[in-house]
Amino acid sequence: MELLSGLLSSLGLSGAAGLNAFIPLLVVGLLSRADVIQLNAPFDLLANPWVLLGVAVIGALDFVGDKIPGVDHVLHVAGGVVNAAAGAVLFASQAGVADVPPALSMALGLIVAGGVQATRTAVRPVATATTAGLGNPVVSTVEDGTSLLLSALAVFAPLLAALLLVMVVVGVYRFWAARRVRRLT
């Protein structure tokens, strides 16, 4: 059961990192610092006060920048690397509990977070174009809120986190498919 719980937690956290790299890093670091969760080395560095401060500052800049049309696009392109790396670290930090080899867990986290980030990057221009950029702050806030919820669920209710991640992926796919059908007709 620990293996399944660890894998579901890993999936949830890496998916959350695909939406916002900094929120799940902060959640895991703060919960580790508060002794709510235990991180093995080297992932215990996430609880270091200087690391937390750095993640918080960069996360705040990303939070603001992601609400501005144009700036959000640049952040999403750069985020392809940052979000995928954060997802790899978060997946490995949790999967280590479940005895998954570190290289495999990092690769899985990279794939999950990178896939969510790529989808997010592909969908955002549609929101920008259809709302003349006015919907970007709303879409970004929903992404950030979903990342926070997914992060909390991944730690406290991993099965719910995995289900939410599936719902997000299916919802985005349906939105994207509907847009393609409308464009073709």
Side-chain angles (χ1 to χ4, degrees), residues 12 14 28 47 67 75 78 82 90 107 128 138 145 150-151 153 171 176 184:
S14 59
V28 167
K67 310 297 186 268
L75 289 172
V82 174
L90 288 161
T128 301
V138 174
L150 200 50
S151 298
L153 287 175
W176 188 255
L184 295 174

Side-chain angles (χ1 to χ4, degrees), residues 40-141:
N40 296 328
F43 305 107
D44 58 344
L45 285 172
L46 291 173
N48 180 294
W50 291 107
V51 172
L52 285 170
L53 179 63
V55 170
V57 168
I58 295 169
L61 293 172
D62 178 75
F63 181 82
V64 172
D66 198 36
K67 310 297 186 268
I68 303 168
V71 174
D72 66 339
H73 180 69
V74 172
L75 289 172
H76 288 184
V77 170
V81 174
V82 174
N83 292 49
V89 167
L90 288 161
F91 197 107
S93 75
Q94 300 303 302
V97 174
D99 295 326
V100 176
L104 176 60
S105 62
M106 298 274 291
L108 290 172
L110 185 87
I111 291 167
V112 171
V116 171
Q117 168 63 17
T119 304
R120 173 182 174 223
T121 301
V123 170
R124 184 62 78 90
V126 174
T128 301
T130 57
T131 65
L134 298 176
N136 286 21
V138 174
V139 172
S140 177
T141 302

